[in-house]
Amino acid sequence: MSNPLEALSQAGVSVWLDDLSRERLETGSLKQLIDTHSVVGVTTNPTIFANALAQGERYLPAVRQLVADGASVDAAIESLTTDDVRQACELFAEVFERTNGVDGRVSIEVEPSLAHDSEGTIVAAKRIWEKLEKPNALIKIPATHEGLPAIAATIAAGISVNVTLIFSVERYREVMDAYLFGLEQALAEGRDLSQIQSVASFFISRLDSAIDGQLPADSPLRGTAAVANAQLAYEAFEEVFSSERAKTLLAQGANVQRPLWASTGVKDPSYPDTKYVTDLVVAGSVNTMPEPTLLAMADHGAVSGDTVSANADAARAVFVSLRAEGIDIDAVFAGLESDGVAKFITSWDELVATVATQMGSV
């Protein structure tokens, strides 16, 4: 293997980049990562787009045209972001074909203020999907309580979905149930299930950050919760997709909803910078990495086989120990979901302000 990312791919983990910008597209940076770093997909979120538009003058010609066309700020944002995603989808077209639609995927999120609006999310997901007109796009929908029916309805409409902001295994099970229900509805409507793909994005590093802050500095439990949580999530994945319900749909051409490890950049500098990659190796999963993590993995990551699927019992023991330390795990999960939605809304507001300023100055 020329670098550890190839070994990771050979182990069955799809390597996705958690970043996108017009600069990456126009300079060939993204193409280079595809060619040399085994990257087979991209994820975006409101924070990524807010940063891209704030720092990039490459958007100004498009902004000028949007102003000339009389576009509103909201319409301009949707145009700018979908243009980037559409170009990325075209760049990944070969990967999409080669992997029969499994990879070569590019994600774009519905407006985060819709996180608690089921009907609004469904409308937005359909509108963005139709605007993109790319079969290898994924529409990101947060795994809030209100997001669950939106996930099911969007899948039922034949739209591929990246379910985001998953923190607890309990909510993950609800997400998988929504996916299967959506597939059942799609089948009843005569849709080709083989054309519908989904990933379930389980957030990793934020859990360690939240729990480590409640533990003594010398606690051996520090840095153990996030990986243990993912290991339990994978156990749930195996259980659900080996059920008779899932087997019936798979026999009709449906795809499993792959687990995706998100938020995989370490936030505690005392941890190895590849921790949330090397500790989460399991075939049939996706790891979406910010560029620093991707480059660290390419430089010195070590892949030593499956580190997930045989560790559920040890993972359960971690949470028994955490609860014995007085950690309210359910409260942590609820807080992380609430904070996650709030952070994306803040980023969206920053994106709106940036585009409004740019539109006012051209």
Side-chain angles (χ1 to χ4, degrees), residues 123-145:
V123 171
K126 290 180 178 179
R127 184 185 68 251
I128 295 169
W129 179 260
E130 290 169 2
K131 187 176 182 68
L132 286 169
E133 292 186 310
K134 291 296 180 182
N136 53 329
L138 289 170
I139 306 300
K140 289 181 80 172
I141 298 175
T144 58
H145 177 74

Side-chain angles (χ1 to χ4, degrees), residues 257-337:
Q257 183 186 51
R258 290 186 295 166
L260 180 152
W261 314 128
S263 184
T264 54
V266 297
K267 294 178 171 57
D268 185 331
S270 70
Y271 297 153
D273 53 5
T274 62
K275 173 179 174 63
Y276 300 123
V277 183
T278 57
D279 288 1
L280 292 173
V281 177
V282 63
S285 64
V286 181
N287 195 307
T288 186
M289 309 173 210
E291 187 174 34
T293 303
L294 183 82
L295 297 180
M297 187 66 195
D299 180 66
H300 53 263
V303 178
S304 56
D306 187 333
T307 55
V308 175
S309 62
N311 294 314
D313 287 341
R316 266 185 287 276
V318 168
F319 282 95
V320 169
S321 297
L322 288 170
R323 288 188 172 93
E325 290 289 321
I327 306 293
D328 186 339
I329 301 296
D330 292 337
V332 171
F333 289 143
L336 285 168
E337 180 182 298

Side-chain angles (χ1 to χ4, degrees), residues 1-13 38 281 297 301-303:
M1 301 291 175
S2 62
N3 75 57
L5 290 171
E6 285 190 35
L8 190 64
S9 297
Q10 289 296 317
V13 179
S38 303
V281 177
M297 187 66 195
V303 178

Side-chain angles (χ1 to χ4, degrees), residues 13-82:
V13 179
S14 293
V15 177
W16 291 7
L17 175 70
D18 191 29
D19 192 37
L20 183 63
S21 66
R22 196 149 299 185
E23 182 174 4
R24 279 199 182 279
L25 291 163
E26 293 183 352
T27 63
S29 165
L30 180 55
K31 179 65 163 62
Q32 183 178 20
L33 291 175
I34 294 170
D35 292 343
T36 64
H37 283 67
S38 303
V39 171
V40 292
V42 158
T43 50
T44 69
N45 59 46
T47 303
I48 286 170
F49 279 128
N51 291 336
L53 271 88
Q55 299 171 7
E57 293 186 357
R58 293 176 182 273
Y59 292 94
L60 290 179
V63 170
R64 291 190 186 97
Q65 185 60 53
L66 287 162
V67 170
D69 293 341
S72 67
V73 173
D74 286 345
I77 289 171
E78 189 165 292
S79 178
L80 294 168
T81 57
T82 55

